[in-house]
Amino acid sequence: MTNPPGHSWQGHNGPPAPSGPQWGSQQTPAPSPHPHQPYGNQTYGHPHQPQHGQPPYQTTAHGAGAPTAAPPRKRRGLIIGLVAGGLALLMIALGAVWVLVVATPEKAVMDYLSAIRDGDAQRAISLAKTTPKDARLLTDEVLAKNKEVAPISDVRHISTRHNKVTVSYTMGETPITETYMVDRVGLGWKVYDAAASFSSGKDRSKINFTMNGFAVSDNIPDLFPGLYTLEQDNPLLTFPEDQVLVTAGLTVNVDPSTFTLSHNEAGVTAMRTELEAQLAKCTSVKSVAPENCRLVYEPPPGATVDTETIRWSLPRNLAQRWQPETKNNPAEVSGTLLTVAEIRAEIVIAGRRQEVQHRFPIAYTPTFDLTSGKAVLTAW
């Protein structure tokens, strides 16, 4: 079948729709793209060979079902679809990373305190830039005990200025306003320290005590924010406070000596009692130089001392006047005691017996070790 003169089905991928122009209608025919091409030379069902300088185009046979090649715009659409899909996957991946990264300084602090409140020690540590030096008490068990003693609640952000974030919260019944330092790490933010660090510089290896029920036998480990109850069983020692509040921030500072055991009144009494016994022992010795007593008498040249007549004496209640001066180290508690010693004795000089009385100043510096639960005099 041939098309009537002046009509062409070019541009359709099949036969014309029934609603199209009918044969013999008076509608003006569409101009042929090749008005000079004779119909007799056109072969239906085969691509037309373009003339020199003309772009190729396709024709379809009347009633053909599909084009001989895909239109370029479909291939372009496929490429656009692939690119769009790739971008969508990239955005999803970036979104997942963004969820894992703490995006703001204040969120870093809020997430950190939330981890402390929820008892998640590892998460709290992961939200900090620095690694704790001593993590013995940075555990879920300690956080759970802290929650029993004084739970953290009502955490609120107050302000952010540069790398410092100020928040408020309640620990137990104590309202707290604290500032935490943060730092940028990679794409996000982290608090600078996960826990507070303390160093007393004293050897605690002989002393056992607990913090919220957890044993500590040497230097204080790093501590999460919390209210810690300090307990120990040495009757001669005590902590400055029974409880210490730790925030691990910049504002609420804790003196390391807060965790240091020192002598109590019972310890002072025990040391004075031991000192009095030692002084009494020294004054009872009938010698011009009792061993380890710092009492020494030198008789006149040519004189002989009758040792049976020697009587040493010190002021009454001398030990009760002694005051310990050093603290913060139960293994070395010392204090200076100034006094006057006296000796009375009979000497023989040039064949004559005579009684002598001699006084001289003396300084004692008794030092005690209280770590065993008893006052042990180690030097004086």
Short mmCIF file of all heavy atoms in Angstrom, two decimals, residues 15-44:
data_model
loop_
_atom_site.label_atom_id
_atom_site.label_comp_id
_atom_site.label_asym_id
_atom_site.label_seq_id
_atom_site.Cartn_x
_atom_site.Cartn_y
_atom_site.Cartn_z
N PRO A 15 0.92 2.46 13.01
CA PRO A 15 -0.14 3.02 12.19
C PRO A 15 -0.79 4.16 12.90
O PRO A 15 -0.77 4.25 14.13
CB PRO A 15 -1.10 1.84 11.99
CG PRO A 15 -0.84 0.96 13.19
CD PRO A 15 0.61 1.08 13.47
N PRO A 16 -1.38 5.10 12.15
CA PRO A 16 -2.02 6.26 12.76
C PRO A 16 -3.19 5.81 13.62
O PRO A 16 -3.85 4.83 13.35
CB PRO A 16 -2.46 7.10 11.56
CG PRO A 16 -2.60 6.12 10.46
CD PRO A 16 -1.55 5.08 10.70
N ALA A 17 -3.39 6.57 14.73
CA ALA A 17 -4.51 6.28 15.62
C ALA A 17 -5.79 6.53 14.91
O ALA A 17 -5.89 7.34 14.00
CB ALA A 17 -4.41 7.17 16.86
N PRO A 18 -6.87 5.85 15.29
CA PRO A 18 -8.17 6.00 14.61
C PRO A 18 -8.67 7.41 14.67
O PRO A 18 -9.41 7.85 13.81
CB PRO A 18 -9.08 5.06 15.39
CG PRO A 18 -8.17 4.04 16.02
CD PRO A 18 -6.91 4.73 16.26
N SER A 19 -8.26 8.16 15.64
CA SER A 19 -8.76 9.54 15.74
C SER A 19 -8.02 10.48 14.81
O SER A 19 -8.32 11.66 14.75
CB SER A 19 -8.61 10.01 17.19
OG SER A 19 -7.24 9.97 17.58
N GLY A 20 -6.98 9.97 14.11
CA GLY A 20 -6.22 10.83 13.20
C GLY A 20 -7.05 11.19 11.98
O GLY A 20 -8.18 10.76 11.79
N PRO A 21 -6.51 11.95 11.09
CA PRO A 21 -7.22 12.36 9.87
C PRO A 21 -7.56 11.18 8.98
O PRO A 21 -6.75 10.27 8.82
CB PRO A 21 -6.23 13.32 9.21
CG PRO A 21 -4.89 12.94 9.77
CD PRO A 21 -5.14 12.46 11.14
N GLN A 22 -8.78 11.15 8.46
CA GLN A 22 -9.23 10.07 7.59
C GLN A 22 -8.89 10.39 6.12
O GLN A 22 -8.77 11.53 5.71
CB GLN A 22 -10.76 9.90 7.72
CG GLN A 22 -11.19 9.57 9.16
CD GLN A 22 -10.63 8.25 9.62
OE1 GLN A 22 -10.63 7.28 8.84
NE2 GLN A 22 -10.12 8.23 10.83
N TRP A 23 -8.75 9.28 5.39
CA TRP A 23 -8.45 9.42 3.95
C TRP A 23 -9.61 10.12 3.28
O TRP A 23 -10.75 9.80 3.45
CB TRP A 23 -8.22 8.05 3.35
CG TRP A 23 -7.91 8.10 1.87
CD1 TRP A 23 -8.72 7.74 0.87
CD2 TRP A 23 -6.73 8.56 1.27
NE1 TRP A 23 -8.14 7.92 -0.34
CE2 TRP A 23 -6.86 8.45 -0.11
CE3 TRP A 23 -5.51 9.07 1.77
CZ2 TRP A 23 -5.88 8.81 -1.02
CZ3 TRP A 23 -4.55 9.41 0.84
CH2 TRP A 23 -4.74 9.28 -0.53
N GLY A 24 -9.24 11.10 2.46
CA GLY A 24 -10.23 11.85 1.74
C GLY A 24 -10.74 13.04 2.50
O GLY A 24 -11.62 13.75 2.01
N SER A 25 -10.29 13.27 3.72
CA SER A 25 -10.73 14.45 4.46
C SER A 25 -10.12 15.68 3.86
O SER A 25 -9.17 15.63 3.11
CB SER A 25 -10.31 14.32 5.91
OG SER A 25 -8.89 14.35 6.04
N GLN A 26 -10.67 16.82 4.24
CA GLN A 26 -10.24 18.08 3.68
C GLN A 26 -9.13 18.72 4.50
O GLN A 26 -8.79 19.86 4.30
CB GLN A 26 -11.44 19.04 3.61
CG GLN A 26 -12.55 18.53 2.73
CD GLN A 26 -12.07 18.26 1.30
OE1 GLN A 26 -11.33 19.07 0.74
NE2 GLN A 26 -12.45 17.12 0.71
N GLN A 27 -8.57 17.96 5.46
CA GLN A 27 -7.49 18.55 6.29
C GLN A 27 -6.26 18.76 5.46
O GLN A 27 -5.91 17.96 4.61
CB GLN A 27 -7.17 17.60 7.45
CG GLN A 27 -6.14 18.20 8.41
CD GLN A 27 -5.94 17.27 9.59
OE1 GLN A 27 -6.72 16.35 9.76
NE2 GLN A 27 -4.94 17.56 10.36
N THR A 28 -5.59 19.87 5.72
CA THR A 28 -4.37 20.20 4.98
C THR A 28 -3.29 19.21 5.32
O THR A 28 -2.97 18.98 6.48
CB THR A 28 -3.88 21.61 5.34
OG1 THR A 28 -4.93 22.53 5.11
CG2 THR A 28 -2.64 21.98 4.54
N PRO A 29 -2.70 18.56 4.31
CA PRO A 29 -1.69 17.53 4.59
C PRO A 29 -0.42 18.14 5.14
O PRO A 29 -0.06 19.25 4.80
CB PRO A 29 -1.47 16.88 3.22
CG PRO A 29 -1.84 17.93 2.23
CD PRO A 29 -2.97 18.72 2.86
N ALA A 30 0.29 17.36 6.01
CA ALA A 30 1.58 17.82 6.56
C ALA A 30 2.63 17.73 5.50
O ALA A 30 2.67 16.78 4.72
CB ALA A 30 1.98 16.93 7.73
N PRO A 31 3.47 18.74 5.41
CA PRO A 31 4.51 18.72 4.37
C PRO A 31 5.48 17.61 4.60
O PRO A 31 5.82 17.29 5.74
CB PRO A 31 5.17 20.09 4.52
CG PRO A 31 4.90 20.50 5.93
CD PRO A 31 3.56 19.93 6.26
N SER A 32 5.91 16.98 3.53
CA SER A 32 6.90 15.91 3.62
C SER A 32 8.25 16.49 3.93
O SER A 32 8.60 17.55 3.41
CB SER A 32 6.92 15.14 2.29
OG SER A 32 8.00 14.24 2.30
N PRO A 33 9.05 15.80 4.77
CA PRO A 33 10.39 16.31 5.03
C PRO A 33 11.28 16.25 3.81
O PRO A 33 12.33 16.84 3.79
CB PRO A 33 10.91 15.38 6.14
CG PRO A 33 10.10 14.14 6.05
CD PRO A 33 8.77 14.56 5.52
N HIS A 34 10.87 15.53 2.77
CA HIS A 34 11.65 15.47 1.54
C HIS A 34 10.71 15.69 0.37
O HIS A 34 10.31 14.74 -0.31
CB HIS A 34 12.36 14.10 1.42
CG HIS A 34 13.28 13.83 2.58
ND1 HIS A 34 14.53 14.40 2.70
CD2 HIS A 34 13.10 13.09 3.70
CE1 HIS A 34 15.10 13.99 3.82
NE2 HIS A 34 14.22 13.19 4.44
N PRO A 35 10.36 16.92 0.13
CA PRO A 35 9.37 17.17 -0.93
C PRO A 35 9.84 16.80 -2.31
O PRO A 35 9.06 16.57 -3.21
CB PRO A 35 9.13 18.68 -0.80
CG PRO A 35 10.34 19.21 -0.11
CD PRO A 35 10.84 18.13 0.78
N HIS A 36 11.15 16.71 -2.48
CA HIS A 36 11.65 16.40 -3.82
C HIS A 36 11.90 14.94 -4.03
O HIS A 36 12.36 14.53 -5.09
CB HIS A 36 12.96 17.18 -4.08
CG HIS A 36 12.77 18.67 -3.91
ND1 HIS A 36 12.00 19.41 -4.78
CD2 HIS A 36 13.25 19.52 -2.98
CE1 HIS A 36 12.01 20.70 -4.40
NE2 HIS A 36 12.76 20.79 -3.29
N GLN A 37 11.65 14.12 -3.01
CA GLN A 37 11.87 12.67 -3.15
C GLN A 37 10.66 12.05 -3.82
O GLN A 37 9.57 12.10 -3.30
CB GLN A 37 12.06 12.06 -1.75
CG GLN A 37 12.16 10.56 -1.73
CD GLN A 37 13.49 10.09 -2.28
OE1 GLN A 37 14.45 10.83 -2.25
NE2 GLN A 37 13.54 8.89 -2.82
N PRO A 38 10.81 11.39 -4.94
CA PRO A 38 9.68 10.74 -5.61
C PRO A 38 9.19 9.57 -4.79
O PRO A 38 9.97 8.85 -4.19
CB PRO A 38 10.26 10.27 -6.95
CG PRO A 38 11.55 11.00 -7.10
CD PRO A 38 12.04 11.30 -5.75
N TYR A 39 7.88 9.40 -4.72
CA TYR A 39 7.30 8.31 -3.97
C TYR A 39 7.71 6.97 -4.52
O TYR A 39 7.86 6.01 -3.80
CB TYR A 39 5.77 8.40 -3.94
CG TYR A 39 5.28 9.46 -2.99
CD1 TYR A 39 4.88 10.69 -3.46
CD2 TYR A 39 5.23 9.19 -1.63
CE1 TYR A 39 4.44 11.65 -2.59
CE2 TYR A 39 4.79 10.15 -0.76
CZ TYR A 39 4.38 11.40 -1.23
OH TYR A 39 3.94 12.33 -0.37
N GLY A 40 7.92 6.93 -5.79
CA GLY A 40 8.25 5.63 -6.38
C GLY A 40 9.59 5.11 -5.98
O GLY A 40 9.87 3.94 -6.09
N ASN A 41 10.47 5.97 -5.55
CA ASN A 41 11.82 5.54 -5.14
C ASN A 41 11.90 5.25 -3.64
O ASN A 41 12.94 4.92 -3.13
CB ASN A 41 12.85 6.60 -5.49
CG ASN A 41 12.98 6.79 -6.99
OD1 ASN A 41 12.74 5.84 -7.73
ND2 ASN A 41 13.33 7.99 -7.42
N GLN A 42 10.81 5.45 -2.85
CA GLN A 42 10.84 5.24 -1.40
C GLN A 42 10.47 3.80 -1.09
O GLN A 42 9.48 3.29 -1.58
CB GLN A 42 9.85 6.19 -0.71
CG GLN A 42 9.89 6.06 0.81
CD GLN A 42 9.05 7.14 1.44
OE1 GLN A 42 8.77 8.13 0.77
NE2 GLN A 42 8.67 6.95 2.70
N THR A 43 11.30 3.15 -0.34
CA THR A 43 11.06 1.76 0.04
C THR A 43 10.58 1.72 1.47
O THR A 43 11.27 2.14 2.38
CB THR A 43 12.35 0.92 -0.10
OG1 THR A 43 12.83 1.07 -1.41
CG2 THR A 43 12.09 -0.54 0.24
N TYR A 44 9.42 1.20 1.72
CA TYR A 44 8.85 1.17 3.08
C TYR A 44 9.46 0.01 3.86
O TYR A 44 9.68 -1.07 3.33
CB TYR A 44 7.32 1.02 2.99
CG TYR A 44 6.68 2.28 2.42
CD1 TYR A 44 6.47 2.44 1.05
CD2 TYR A 44 6.31 3.28 3.31
CE1 TYR A 44 5.90 3.59 0.56
CE2 TYR A 44 5.73 4.43 2.81
CZ TYR A 44 5.53 4.60 1.42
OH TYR A 44 4.96 5.73 0.94
#
